[in-house]
Amino acid sequence: MDLLLDSGRAPGDVLVFTTGEQHPWATHELSFGEASYWAQHDAREDVFFADGAAVSRARPRPVVVVAVNGEEAAAQVLPPALERATALLVVCGDPQRINAVLGAGV
């Protein structure tokens, strides 16, 4: 994340999905309610972290990061995440698992 932000990307341009355990930021923010949580997504003022299951609810952003930290959901999250990335898709995880899902050499 630091590398993306240090390269000039605005925090509001970055969307992060996790395929396994929820990112701690998302868990904390969801404790205030779904409406407040998704309002932050819509405001696009900061990096937004979401569970991969919510990929269809998220709006496109220039940079989408997918943390493949759970095997089962990766196949459902990666293709729509690719559609939401308007400039750059960053996928973090086991390259063999990612290649199997995307069908390409990453």
Side-chain angles (χ1 to χ4, degrees), residues 19-97:
T19 64
E21 187 175 324
Q22 184 100 261
H23 189 278
W25 179 91
T27 301
H28 173 75
E29 293 302 321
L30 278 165
S31 72
F32 299 107
E34 288 244 354
S36 171
Y37 173 74
W38 285 101
Q40 291 180 49
H41 169 271
D42 296 340
R44 293 183 61 149
E45 294 173 356
D46 206 349
V47 176
F48 189 80
F49 295 86
D51 185 288
V55 68
S56 63
R57 186 169 179 182
R59 293 190 181 139
R61 288 200 182 184
V63 179
V64 174
V65 177
V66 178
V68 180
N69 61 338
E71 193 167 329
E72 290 119 23
Q76 290 78 33
V77 174
L78 286 173
L82 179 61
E83 293 174 5
R84 279 155 183 73
T86 60
L88 178 65
L89 174 68
V90 178
V91 182
C92 306
D94 176 23
Q96 289 180 333
R97 185 181 314 159

